[in-house]
Amino acid sequence: MGNIRRTPMPMLRILDLLSDPGNAARRNEDTAGGNTSCAFVIDGATGLGGKPLLDATSDAAWLATFATQVFEAEVGLANPIADVVRNLNARVRQRIVEASAGETIEAWALPTASFQLVRMENQELAVYGLGDCRLFLSGADGTAIETNEDYSKAESEGARRAVAQAGGLTAWRSLAEEPVVREALRRSRARHNQPGGSVWTLGSAPEAAAHLSIRKFSPALPARGLLCTDGFSALADKYARYDSARLIQAASERGLATLMSELRRIEREEDPDGQQYPRFKVSDDATALLFEITD
């Protein structure tokens, strides 16, 4: 019998990574990272009032940082991502139980975070996620793919109502500070990670692992991809400055720092009041990770 030749698995390599806080006076609640097996972005959900449980200033920042440490340490070439997420959330739940010392914590006050993670599995790019982080992917043949398009549309509708209620962002740098909007956001957040619900996240619900979004792609190689939190994907989703392919091309040719400057110029100079582009904050934390896949 002749030797059996195995097709080598394509290689995933991080090319650029940038994370920028939306407000210099607040903690950045986004993170990003990777290891030899994967790359990912994480978007911690800003707290809606109340005293932090797990961190002096931001439970969302604590959760995003903790999840980064777990992903980088525990995601390998083949272990189930669902197991990693289930164990991560179980550990967060235990930390909350210990920190709360028996006090009842409102569902809206529990820390949560979205994520999107990519990993090569044989000849396919596997994409795992919870929540609204995004992937833009472009193959060598020009085929463009993206994930989570519907999340951005739903959020834009909610932001439009909130801007109308608050009268714009001039008086409220974050609309979550306006009392009526804050109560609506709390009711929405309380429905996350609940049986029968549609939104599951990193946080304190181990059962979220059963609701992972899992997609697999076989782009023509070499391919490039851009993972980003919704604060960065706003360049395409809210501000319509790029489509998938052009956003990846711009990130590759001009660098993420240039795109971040463009993003902040739109938010802080073109539309600081949120009337043209309704949103909950003047600027959200924004994170992007550019990667390539090669034979």
Side-chain angles (χ1 to χ4, degrees), residues 162-172 175 272-275:
V163 167
Q165 165 66 35
L169 288 165
T170 300
W172 308 92
L175 294 186
D273 195 37
Q275 298 292 343

Side-chain angles (χ1 to χ4, degrees), residues 6 31 33 73 75 84 88 100 112 117 122 128 138 155 164 181 183 205 208-209 218 221-222 275 282 286-287:
R6 296 183 181 274
T31 58
V75 174
V84 176
L88 187 163
S100 64
T112 62
L117 178 149
N122 297 317
Y128 297 88
S138 181
E155 183 175 323
V181 174
E183 285 307 309
S218 299
L221 303 183
Q275 298 292 343
V282 175
T287 298

Side-chain angles (χ1 to χ4, degrees), residues 6-72:
R6 296 183 181 274
T7 303
M9 185 167 66
M11 179 179 297
L12 187 155
R13 183 168 70 97
I14 296 172
L15 300 175
D16 197 3
L17 187 160
L18 185 62
S19 186
D20 184 66
N23 182 344
R26 292 179 56 88
R27 292 272 298 281
N28 187 350
E29 294 167 336
D30 282 2
T31 58
N35 58 25
T36 56
S37 302
C38 72
F40 58 84
V41 294
I42 300 171
D43 182 356
T46 300
L48 297 174
K51 183 180 178 181
L53 282 169
L54 306 173
D55 182 89
T57 57
S58 169
D59 284 344
W62 178 91
L63 175 59
T65 300
F66 178 66
T68 295
Q69 294 168 350
V70 171
F71 284 164
E72 290 186 334

Side-chain angles (χ1 to χ4, degrees), residues 176-200:
E177 298 171 1
E178 198 278 334
V180 174
V181 174
R182 171 168 286 190
E183 285 307 309
L185 290 173
R186 285 179 173 179
R187 289 193 297 272
S188 176
R189 184 81 58 85
R191 292 192 291 269
H192 293 183
N193 301 307
Q194 297 296 323
S198 60
V199 179
W200 294 84

Side-chain angles (χ1 to χ4, degrees), residues 75-86:
V75 174
L77 287 171
N79 59 321
I81 302 300
D83 289 352
V84 176
V85 169
R86 186 179 299 105

Side-chain angles (χ1 to χ4, degrees), residues 124-137:
E124 295 181 308
L125 179 71
V127 186
Y128 297 88
L130 291 170
D132 59 5
C133 293
R134 299 269 267 135
L135 168 68
F136 300 93
L137 182 66

